[in-house]
Amino acid sequence: LGRGQTLAFQAMLSSIRSLFTVRFYEPHFFDSPFSFSVDLYNYQQDYDDFSRGSTGGSLSFGYWITDELMASISYKLEQVDAQSGGRRGSTPPLANLFDDGLTSSLRFTIAYDSRDNRMLPTDGWYANASIEHAASYFGSENEFTRMTFHGSRYVPLWLGMVLKFNLETGWVFNTRPEGVPIFERFFVGGIFTVRGFRRYSLGPTVYTGRERTPEGELYAFNKGGDKQLIL
């Protein structure tokens, strides 16, 4: 309609995940300098030792400070269901990790983008830093604070080749004794993070029984990390 608005539907089905989303994006909310977006989704993901299902949505407002710098704030509300098992089918007797329920969080993001082309960049910078906070005073049953940073630098070379440097960091914590829920921790591995490993297979492990019996076989359970650094 000549307004720059976007309405998107997505469905993805595979043996380890399913995803259904609807998204609407308005670049100039009521003809203001602010952008607005709303997302609704249903997502199911199988990790090695547990599965995570979530149904929810988010509302976001953004503002272009300059042509290359944008700040945004988002509110997310989702119902999370975490269960042991996953692709390996084990049911370890670990306390606290599988506590699930309602997540209500607020996230602030600032992004810088000077790439010459967002689809096929050959020169420029991209950086994104965010902090997300889920707390009981937002009505959240799951509580955590997550800080992340992602930066990329593209350098043009000869014969049309491009050199890319990439940095991704993260830290998630919770002041409550039970710690951070397993489904909010960091799991890396796969072509998007560390090639040569199965998707989401890397992280700190703890040895535990496969079943809730004293004679159960011990194995290394991946409980996820509270920090990550990927270069």
Side-chain angles (χ1 to χ4, degrees), residues 72-133:
S72 64
I73 188 168
S74 304
Y75 172 73
K76 179 179 72 176
L77 183 68
E78 68 175 357
Q79 180 67 34
V80 181
D81 178 31
Q83 296 181 356
S84 62
R87 287 179 288 181
R88 293 201 285 196
S90 302
T91 57
L94 297 174
N96 299 329
L97 284 179
F98 298 108
D99 293 342
D100 49 19
L102 189 70
T103 296
S104 176
S105 69
L106 202 63
R107 183 181 66 204
F108 176 76
T109 304
I110 188 163
Y112 175 79
D113 192 350
S114 65
R115 294 173 295 179
D116 57 350
N117 187 304
R118 294 188 180 185
M119 297 297 292
L120 297 170
T122 62
D123 192 10
W125 289 86
Y126 174 78
N128 180 300
S130 71
I131 179 169
E132 180 182 5
H133 184 56

Side-chain angles (χ1 to χ4, degrees), residues 6-174:
T6 300
L7 178 63
F9 301 89
Q10 181 182 10
M12 182 186 302
L13 293 171
S14 75
S15 60
I16 62 173
R17 62 182 171 180
S18 63
L19 171 66
F20 303 94
T21 64
V22 179
R23 185 174 195 264
F24 174 75
Y25 174 72
E26 166 61 74
H28 294 285
F29 190 57
F30 291 129
D31 293 325
S32 73
F34 290 90
S35 65
F36 168 76
S37 66
V38 57
D39 295 81
L40 301 173
Y41 57 86
N42 179 273
Y43 187 39
Q44 179 73 34
Q45 171 76 51
D46 286 340
Y47 294 79
D48 279 353
D49 298 304
F50 73 99
S51 61
R52 182 191 196 278
S54 61
T55 301
S58 64
L59 296 173
S60 301
F61 289 91
Y63 181 77
W64 286 100
I65 301 171
T66 69
D67 290 341
E68 299 176 339
L69 185 65
M70 184 182 191
S72 64
I73 188 168
S74 304
Y75 172 73
K76 179 179 72 176
L77 183 68
E78 68 175 357
Q79 180 67 34
V80 181
D81 178 31
Q83 296 181 356
S84 62
R87 287 179 288 181
R88 293 201 285 196
S90 302
T91 57
L94 297 174
N96 299 329
L97 284 179
F98 298 108
D99 293 342
D100 49 19
L102 189 70
T103 296
S104 176
S105 69
L106 202 63
R107 183 181 66 204
F108 176 76
T109 304
I110 188 163
Y112 175 79
D113 192 350
S114 65
R115 294 173 295 179
D116 57 350
N117 187 304
R118 294 188 180 185
M119 297 297 292
L120 297 170
T122 62
D123 192 10
W125 289 86
Y126 174 78
N128 180 300
S130 71
I131 179 169
E132 180 182 5
H133 184 56
S136 58
Y137 45 79
F138 292 149
S140 183
E141 296 174 305
N142 304 313
E143 296 191 53
F144 60 89
T145 300
R146 177 188 293 107
M147 294 183 286
T148 61
F149 174 81
H150 176 209
S152 298
R153 173 71 170 111
Y154 298 85
V155 181
L157 301 177
W158 54 92
L159 301 177
M161 294 187 293
V162 179
L163 177 64
K164 177 187 176 184
F165 298 96
N166 193 73
L167 166 68
E168 187 171 352
T169 65
W171 180 32
V172 60
F173 60 90
N174 182 12

Side-chain angles (χ1 to χ4, degrees), residues 90-93 207-220:
S90 302
T91 57
Y207 280 90
T208 184
R210 290 188 179 277
E211 304 292 341
R212 297 177 180 272
T213 58
E215 65 273 12
E217 177 188 0
L218 293 181
Y219 79 106

